[in-house]
Amino acid sequence: MKRVITYGTFDMLHYGHINLLRRAKQMGDYLIVVLSSDEFNWDSKQKKTYFSYEKRKQLLEAIRYVDLVIPENSWDQKVSDMKEYHIDTMVIGDDWAGKFDFIEDETEAEVVYLPRTPEISTSQIKKDLNAKKLATSVDTSTIDVSGK
């Protein structure tokens, strides 16, 4: 059985995430998703997620490509994950290209950087939602409610 692993926050799940998970699953028989915990996101990445770890885990577990979801609690756990789960291939988005090459030296796992779905990202969704919110907010201090 060929085992594949990928890492991510997977907040505000979208079709780009699904594409990544589908392509990762195509590389093996068993896909493990290592999901960044809320504490890891906040303490190490200085980012707050919209959905909690438990909600993001539920969403991932409902996807047919995903066989197991485990927490990511530190940057350093990748090598131990490869060994503990007998991983053959680590898959991650190509925005991380080169950052995890050391894993091939320290384990028997291959590292594959997959192209991201170009027109979608969680960061872009958040940016678009914030822009829409600003555009639709009204300055009520200038509205005449007296009827005059």
Side-chain angles (χ1 to χ4, degrees):
M1 177 186 299
K2 188 170 181 185
R3 293 174 171 258
V4 179
I5 198 166
T6 191
Y7 290 77
T9 300
F10 298 97
D11 195 24
M12 300 181 75
L13 195 68
H14 54 71
Y15 66 90
H17 292 132
I18 302 300
N19 286 341
L20 175 75
L21 296 170
R22 178 184 43 79
R23 291 182 293 164
K25 179 66 176 221
Q26 288 172 342
M27 298 180 137
D29 305 300
Y30 192 83
L31 177 60
I32 299 171
V33 177
V34 187
L35 179 62
S36 300
S37 69
D38 296 333
E39 296 78 19
F40 177 58
N41 274 324
W42 184 251
D43 295 341
S44 297
K45 299 179 184 180
Q46 285 73 51
K47 72 179 181 181
K48 181 158 176 41
T49 57
Y50 184 81
F51 293 108
S52 70
Y53 172 84
E54 286 304 320
K55 296 292 184 199
R56 292 180 286 123
K57 183 178 183 203
Q58 278 183 338
L59 289 167
L60 287 168
E61 288 174 335
I63 297 169
R64 67 179 171 177
Y65 309 116
V66 177
D67 295 297
L68 178 65
V69 178
I70 61 172
E72 180 180 28
N73 296 307
S74 76
W75 290 111
D76 302 327
Q77 80 182 62
K78 288 178 179 58
V79 170
S80 61
D81 288 345
M82 302 299 139
K83 293 176 181 177
E84 180 178 347
Y85 292 96
H86 309 285
I87 300 301
D88 298 291
T89 307
M90 176 182 150
V91 175
I92 197 139
D94 64 358
D95 54 327
W96 292 96
K99 300 269 196 246
F100 300 111
D101 290 351
F102 70 92
I103 287 172
E104 290 183 344
D105 297 333
E106 296 183 32
T107 70
E108 295 181 21
E110 171 189 23
V111 177
V112 176
Y113 300 99
L114 290 178
R116 297 175 84 75
T117 305
E119 70 278 6
I120 187 77
S121 75
T122 302
S123 299
Q124 188 63 49
I125 290 171
K126 288 179 179 180
K127 182 179 174 185
D128 292 349
L129 288 172
N130 282 333
K132 186 175 181 176
K133 182 179 176 182
L134 288 173
T136 58
S137 65
V138 177
D139 181 2
T140 56
S141 65
T142 60
I143 297 174
D144 182 1
V145 293
S146 67
K148 297 179 181 174

